[in-house]
Amino acid sequence: MNDLLSQSYFSADTLNLAADYLLSGIAFVLILVVGRYLARWVRDLIRGGLDTPGVDRTLTKFAGNFAYYGIFLLAIFAALETLGVETASFVAVLAAASFAVGLALQGTLANFAAGIMLLVFRPFSVNDYVEIADETGFVKEIQLFFTRLRTRENRLIIVPNGDIFGATIENIFAHDKIRVDCDVGTDYPADIDATREVLLEAARSVEGRLEDEGEQAALVGLGGSSINWQVRVWAEPDDYFRLKQELTRQVKYHLDEAGIGIPFPQMDVHLDELNGEA
């Protein structure tokens, strides 16, 4: 027995080394387990805290996942340290790789950053009717990298978020009421006051308008061949397109009934005689 204990693989140094490896392995596993549990807890905490009607679910999910992977990555580095692995080189390589990827994907990252800003500040929401990046349509979906629009012709338009956030955003249906306009020109011989009354009556005959907001027939200018008017009523966003068509229809009918003409471009051709010949 003494001979066996005297052998090198049963020496005190060997036993101490084995114990160190065992403890390091246990610490490695424990750090990973605790780190993963902590990462999940933080992720669920963030998702629960941001799960409110005013915060987009895409942003909530992204923030939770970002926190999860960040904490778990730190746990991995800490666990490797217990095994005596130098993580400084890994961090340096990771930083260099991130920098290279950032340069290669700077346009994509710009869209990503713009998507975060859109989800945080919410200049528009799903189903809003907007004009963004020279495109007009209903917002169908807001993602981290792009926004989907559905046009009135039922076409799908995908707009990069970087183009949206760096340009003017017009949210046409942002409020609970919107003005409906109809531009029209009338003949110069027509009396201005009589024309105004006819246009106001046309506006009053539009069904579904917001009557509390009233109506207007504004004289906006004297054109080259017509007196220019703008007839205005107010509507709820869902009724905008229907009332715009109805307002235009009523304006045309009432002007026709009153005998007030709507000028249109005309061209007069004169033939002069040259040496007695036309």
Side-chain angles (χ1 to χ4, degrees), residues 76-93:
I76 292 176
F77 285 144
L80 291 175
E81 287 284 352
T82 63
L83 298 179
V85 178
E86 292 292 338
T87 58
S89 58
F90 288 100
V91 174
V93 172

Side-chain angles (χ1 to χ4, degrees), residues 124-154:
F124 52 81
S125 302
V126 174
N127 295 327
D128 282 350
Y129 189 65
V130 299
E131 182 176 347
I132 52 177
D134 297 328
E135 301 289 349
T136 304
F138 294 93
V139 179
K140 182 178 180 181
E141 187 179 17
I142 306 173
Q143 292 289 340
L144 290 175
F145 294 96
F146 55 83
T147 297
R148 297 175 184 267
L149 297 182
R150 178 179 60 83
T151 67
R152 295 182 61 196
E153 299 82 14
N154 204 30

Side-chain angles (χ1 to χ4, degrees), residues 37-48 63-64 67-68 71:
Y37 174 80
L38 180 62
R40 285 182 175 179
W41 180 78
V42 173
R43 180 189 63 187
D44 295 340
L45 182 65
I46 292 176
R47 288 182 177 180
Y68 172 82
I71 294 175

